[in-house]
Amino acid sequence: MIMVMCALNYADRSSLSASMPLISQEFHLSPSSVGWLLSASLWIYILLNFPSAVLAEKYGNRIMGSLSVAFWSLAMVAGALGGSYGNLLVSRVLLGVGEAPTFPIGASVINRLSSSGERPVLFTVFMASMQVGLALGTAVAGALTYVYGWRLATVILALPGFVWALVWWVRYRDHRVAVHVGTADEAAPPRPSVLQLLAILRKRSFAGIVISGASGNYMNFLMVSWLPIYMNHKFGLNMAVAGFDASLTYLAAAAISVILSVAITYLSRGYGSTTASNRVVTSVLFVISAFLVMIIPQANSAMAVVVGVGLALGFVRAGSGANQALLNDLLVPSRYIGSAFGLALTFTNSVGMVAPIVTGYIVERTGTFYAAFCVASGLLLVGAVSSFFYTRTPIEILESGGTS
């Protein structure tokens, strides 16, 4: 269910980029205006990642999951029914409000249902569902936009979210774990305060994980927002074909990331701690992806771009899955992974948010995407260095009596 939630999140988010040629024509948008619209859902999303995670841990994933998906689906419908650029912009901001709890809820469920050895694969599969959502959203939106227009395409993509919200409410049950301290008569320690949770910002390892995650998110959001437009710009493909090619790329990335994660997890058994393994995997995969990104602009065919971007995104997603598992490994106690992950997302998505905007200005000034890919490649190298050197100490959260 959380994989489907994540897939719907990215299907709904990516539908805009697949429909953007018609939207841009209707509202007479410049490349920089397109960049602002593509990033609009992230403006409030990044601010609500941490608060929504705290609320999910307090009130439960059941109610937060159903409310969030229903809310962002309603925002999509409102945007499709609106008649101006301003209405569409506001609807994308509201979509970000609904999407904010997605990853904290997913991290919390994975932490509860898996062991440390299983988490790299599960986090990667969770991340791979993003690529599946991108593929479905881009392909469906591109095809429906081509035939019926972008408004109907948006409404159709919103409908599965309402179904998911209902099924999640009926089927999912929150699992409250009792915390025993000393004798059975002693009360469990109180939940950490917001200030105690925020104290992990001072932890070197948390900073290293955030920097790595931010570099991966920049690459991801660049491709989520601009890939169909890049295919249209470079090869003159219509919306349906560009959307289909982009969907192939996202599916390839999902498959590659899962295969890589499963293979690496299997091969690394018996070779030290999972923490050390996750650190090395993140660094190596980010370096490989950085070099792949640099050669994508040299591709002379749409299929070469599909292969190149699919490989680069696949390596980034597998590395990001290991990076998230690393946060789970280092966090003490790990049951607050939802809040810690939400706090990390506040920063990593802040960097991801600027990717569509920066790319829009680069394309507007240079007329090409080469410099935009160079920026993404450089950030991945920074993320690799950060993961390898700055994630070596525990990230502790005290449940009472101040912070460590």
Side-chain angles (χ1 to χ4, degrees):
M1 286 291 289
I2 61 169
M3 310 303 176
V4 176
M5 181 187 189
C6 185
L8 288 175
N9 181 315
Y10 272 77
D12 293 346
R13 189 182 301 182
S14 67
S15 65
L16 185 69
S17 63
S19 305
M20 188 53 70
L22 277 186
I23 295 173
S24 180
Q25 181 180 2
E26 179 176 336
F27 296 118
H28 308 290
L29 304 180
S30 66
S32 56
S33 296
V34 170
W36 281 103
L37 184 57
L38 289 172
S39 66
S41 63
L42 292 175
W43 299 348
I44 193 69
Y45 176 80
I46 61 173
L47 297 176
L48 294 181
N49 281 145
F50 178 59
S52 66
V54 174
L55 289 175
E57 287 184 345
K58 182 176 181 179
Y59 295 107
N61 294 326
R62 183 186 181 213
I63 187 170
M64 288 295 292
S66 292
L67 287 178
S68 66
V69 179
F71 187 85
W72 92 53
S73 300
L74 186 62
M76 287 187 67
V77 173
L81 298 179
S84 69
Y85 173 77
N87 288 338
L88 183 58
L89 191 68
V90 170
S91 75
R92 298 301 292 184
V93 174
L94 294 177
L95 180 137
V97 173
E99 290 181 338
T102 302
F103 286 92
I105 289 174
S108 177
V109 173
I110 289 173
N111 176 68
R112 180 168 67 85
L113 298 178
S114 63
S115 66
S116 61
E118 297 169 330
R119 285 182 195 125
V121 173
L122 289 178
F123 273 118
T124 300
V125 172
F126 183 53
M127 301 293 285
S129 64
M130 294 165 40
Q131 310 303 328
V132 174
L134 287 173
L136 293 175
T138 304
V140 172
L144 290 177
T145 298
Y146 183 71
V147 178
Y148 299 110
W150 68 271
R151 296 178 188 276
L152 179 58
T154 302
V155 171
I156 292 175
L157 280 170
L159 297 179
F162 294 112
V163 176
W164 186 95
L166 179 61
V167 174
W168 179 259
W169 178 260
V170 172
R171 297 294 300 272
Y172 184 79
R173 291 294 181 270
D174 290 309
H175 179 69
R176 304 294 185 182
V177 179
V179 180
H180 301 287
V181 179
T183 67
D185 295 330
E186 292 185 60
R191 278 181 49 82
S193 67
V194 172
L195 289 179
Q196 287 174 310
L197 291 171
L198 290 174
I200 65 175
L201 293 173
R202 301 199 300 264
K203 304 295 183 179
R204 178 187 177 100
S205 291
F206 186 76
I209 288 170
V210 165
I211 293 171
S212 300
S215 67
N217 259 9
Y218 187 95
M219 165 68 172
N220 185 59
F221 284 115
L222 166 62
M223 296 304 174
V224 168
S225 302
W226 281 97
L227 183 57
I229 302 169
Y230 174 71
M231 304 287 273
N232 174 270
H233 172 86
K234 185 164 185 175
F235 303 111
L237 305 179
N238 64 43
M239 289 174 294
V241 175
F244 178 75
D245 285 349
S247 70
L248 287 180
T249 304
Y250 303 141
L251 286 175
I256 290 167
S257 65
V258 173
I259 292 171
L260 273 173
S261 182
V262 171
I264 291 170
T265 299
Y266 176 79
L267 293 173
S268 63
R269 288 177 179 174
Y271 290 91
S273 69
T274 57
T275 302
S277 174
N278 289 331
R279 181 186 305 117
V280 172
V281 167
T282 301
S283 302
V284 171
L285 295 185
F286 274 27
V287 169
I288 295 173
S289 182
F291 284 102
L292 288 170
V293 171
M294 287 299 297
I295 66 175
I296 290 170
Q298 312 305 321
N300 294 318
S301 69
M303 186 52 61
V305 172
V306 169
V307 173
V309 176
L311 285 170
L313 276 178
F315 279 91
V316 165
R317 289 298 96 213
S320 296
N323 191 53
Q324 291 170 10
L326 184 58
L327 174 58
N328 212 129
D329 290 343
L330 294 174
L331 188 67
V332 181
S334 64
R335 63 178 167 274
Y336 298 118
I337 184 62
S339 292
F341 194 44
L343 185 58
L345 283 176
T346 300
F347 297 97
T348 60
N349 283 329
S350 295
V351 176
M353 182 184 71
V354 305
I357 301 170
V358 170
T359 302
Y361 281 111
I362 289 174
V363 173
E364 192 171 294
R365 295 289 181 86
T366 66
T368 71
F369 284 81
Y370 180 74
F373 287 128
C374 287
V375 171
S377 178
L379 287 175
L380 286 173
L381 292 176
V382 172
V385 171
S386 175
S387 179
F388 191 78
F389 290 104
Y390 289 91
T391 59
R392 296 177 178 272
T393 56
I395 303 170
E396 298 181 34
I397 298 175
L398 292 190
E399 295 174 295
S400 61
T403 58
S404 61

